[in-house]
Amino acid sequence: MSDDRETDTASEGSYQLSRHKKSPSSLTNLSSSSGMTSLSSVSGSVMSVYSGDFGNLEVKGSIQFAIDYVDSLKELHVFVAQCKDLAAADIKKQRSDPYVKTYLLPDKGKMGKKKTLVVKKTLNPVYNEILRYKIDKQILKTQKLNLSVWHRDTFKRNSFLGEVELDLETWDWDNKQNKQLKWYPLKRKTAPVPLEAENRGEMKLALQYVPEPVPGKKLPTTGEVHIWVKECLDLPLLRGSHLNSFVKCTILPDTSRKSRQKTRAVGKTTNPVFNHTMVYDGFRPEDLTEACVELTVWDHYKLTNQFLGGLRIGFGTGKSYGTEVDWMDSTSEEVALWEKMVKSPNTWIEAILPLRMLLIAKISK
């Protein structure tokens, strides 16, 4: 996922406070459209590797390919030659319309996906195509190469025919034999590791709800939510030993750029200290039930930001302002923090929560 962001020049040890002004109704104004929020998976390639039809066809046959790293171009070349003895998607006519798809995992962006052309009506397709990845060799050594074969029917539905996975960390790039075309037996889809089980690190933070008394009225009508992002612990390294992380905050259902705040980026550590407080005002008591604080951690590299993990802190009811929404999916630990904050106004409630994979709502303009 890429995302434009300005740099923040604050010194690393400083304590930062940013405030978001909004009218009390800005959350509810969005409620009518919140259910329509388009969701795009930040896990990109990884999620679409697992989309499609896996169950119907047996996996058989093999694929012939070779890989090489071209130092002068800083490119990985995957030469996909052919497949043989594939499973037949059309049982009656004993044929398929196969193509080959490659990914570099755990690359989370669409950059990671390449495809050959579809070869129709055959179980022994010949491709002779080179799929290229522009990638630094050190980063490549942290990746896995996944080749999968798919049948594409006339309605553009895909059926899985088998896959091969190479661990590039242990690959011997200097061995000339490794540059030769080789046959690999196709394997069944290994069940993906549940995304929750992946260790994405943790965030130490504190929340506080500050009701604003209105002169002449006993009960406050609106209040502020304060979010103090203290630090992250054990963040994952996606590109070798490099990491330059920052935290972004959005109060859902408001996905407008105006509602978004972020910390500065902290480099060269998997345990960045941010000490940054974000303040959102205009919260009526009922908004606390319908809104959700989404905190996401990103690795900023050149012109792109790669998603590391996130939190969604709210009541986790699955609904917002009467509309069913995917993002109201807080874990029990995230719900517990929000409940304590709502029950104890004017008090900092601290927690250390595990970061997790999220489907991110697209930012509206």
Side-chain angles (χ1 to χ4, degrees):
M1 292 287 282
S2 65
D3 180 27
D4 57 298
R5 53 182 296 278
E6 57 284 343
T7 52
D8 197 316
T9 52
S11 66
E12 288 206 7
S14 70
Y15 174 92
Q16 286 187 283
L17 181 116
S18 48
R19 183 175 287 271
H20 172 60
K21 280 276 179 206
K22 59 183 178 53
S23 67
S25 61
S26 69
L27 281 170
T28 41
N29 284 347
L30 273 139
S31 61
S32 57
S33 63
S34 63
M36 308 287 284
T37 305
S38 62
L39 288 169
S40 66
S41 157
V42 290
S43 64
S45 318
V46 175
M47 293 298 272
S48 52
V49 167
Y50 303 135
S51 66
D53 179 1
F54 291 108
N56 293 346
L57 299 174
E58 63 172 322
V59 168
K60 61 196 280 281
S62 47
I63 181 170
Q64 188 189 41
F65 69 93
I67 66 171
D68 189 16
Y69 188 79
V70 184
D71 286 290
S72 58
L73 298 171
K74 292 202 168 171
E75 282 184 355
L76 168 69
H77 288 187
V78 183
F79 181 71
V80 181
Q82 58 184 326
C83 299
K84 67 178 181 189
D85 303 329
L86 295 176
D90 184 334
I91 307 288
K92 202 187 277 181
K93 293 183 177 167
Q94 278 297 298
R95 64 192 194 191
S96 293
D97 296 344
Y99 71 97
V100 178
K101 187 160 58 171
T102 63
Y103 287 90
L104 284 178
L105 304 177
D107 185 313
K108 305 292 193 291
K110 289 290 179 189
M111 284 281 290
K113 179 162 85 170
K114 311 281 179 190
K115 288 192 270 199
T116 67
L117 295 172
V118 175
V119 179
K120 298 207 163 178
K121 302 178 183 176
T122 179
L123 303 180
N124 302 292
V126 175
Y127 299 102
N128 289 334
E129 285 188 52
I130 295 176
L131 305 177
R132 295 176 169 85
Y133 289 87
K134 199 93 175 162
I135 185 167
D136 189 85
K137 197 167 190 180
Q138 287 312 110
I139 297 175
L140 188 63
K141 286 179 181 175
T142 66
Q143 309 283 304
K144 284 189 172 75
L145 175 67
N146 178 285
L147 289 93
S148 51
V149 186
W150 298 79
H151 160 74
R152 169 164 286 202
D153 70 14
T154 43
F155 302 106
K156 296 196 171 170
R157 287 180 308 215
N158 297 318
S159 300
F160 179 73
L161 298 175
E163 71 168 15
V164 175
E165 204 157 277
L166 294 185
D167 188 344
L168 301 182
E169 192 179 354
T170 54
W171 190 258
D172 185 354
W173 296 97
D174 299 321
N175 184 342
K176 290 212 169 120
Q177 290 296 109
N178 279 346
K179 297 179 185 183
Q180 305 298 314
L181 280 169
K182 273 199 204 116
W183 285 100
Y184 296 82
L186 290 167
K187 295 183 175 167
R188 281 201 292 275
K189 167 58 65 192
T190 48
V193 178
L195 293 170
E196 294 305 311
E198 287 183 53
N199 182 18
R200 295 179 172 272
E202 298 174 309
M203 184 185 294
K204 185 176 184 180
L205 74 162
L207 299 186
Q208 180 176 210
Y209 180 58
V210 182
E212 296 167 12
V214 176
K217 287 192 181 175
K218 289 201 171 137
L219 281 173
T221 51
T222 66
E224 295 178 341
V225 171
H226 295 219
I227 302 148
W228 181 1
V229 177
K230 296 188 175 187
E231 60 185 311
C232 290
L233 309 160
D234 297 323
L235 290 178
L237 290 165
L238 296 186
R239 46 188 183 95
S241 57
H242 302 286
L243 191 60
N244 186 31
S245 58
F246 69 98
V247 178
K248 193 161 38 173
C249 181
T250 307
I251 306 290
L252 298 170
D254 184 356
T255 57
S256 68
R257 289 187 183 276
K258 283 186 293 195
S259 97
R260 197 175 64 179
Q261 296 186 38
K262 54 198 164 197
T263 69
R264 70 190 184 286
V266 175
K268 300 179 182 171
T269 175
T270 54
N271 300 295
V273 175
F274 297 105
N275 250 343
H276 185 116
T277 299
M278 306 169 190
V279 176
Y280 289 86
D281 66 1
F283 272 89
R284 300 167 308 174
E286 59 266 37
D287 291 327
L288 294 172
T289 333
E290 311 296 342
C292 173
V293 173
E294 182 178 84
L295 289 162
T296 49
V297 187
W298 301 79
D299 177 20
H300 180 59
Y301 177 59
K302 293 187 177 170
L303 296 174
T304 61
N305 296 318
Q306 213 159 17
F307 177 79
L308 297 176
L311 305 171
R312 285 216 184 101
I313 303 162
F315 280 125
T317 56
K319 287 187 176 178
S320 173
Y321 299 105
T323 306
E324 286 194 18
V325 289
D326 296 14
W327 46 260
M328 198 54 119
D329 63 349
S330 303
T331 64
S332 53
E333 290 171 283
E334 292 165 349
V335 172
L337 173 59
W338 193 248
E339 281 178 346
K340 281 184 199 161
M341 179 202 78
V342 172
K343 283 177 187 161
S344 317
N346 300 307
T347 312
W348 282 111
I349 309 295
E350 188 178 271
I352 297 177
L353 298 176
L355 296 166
R356 57 188 178 101
M357 174 53 81
L358 300 177
L359 288 165
I360 302 289
K362 279 186 180 156
I363 301 296
S364 54
K365 296 287 181 214

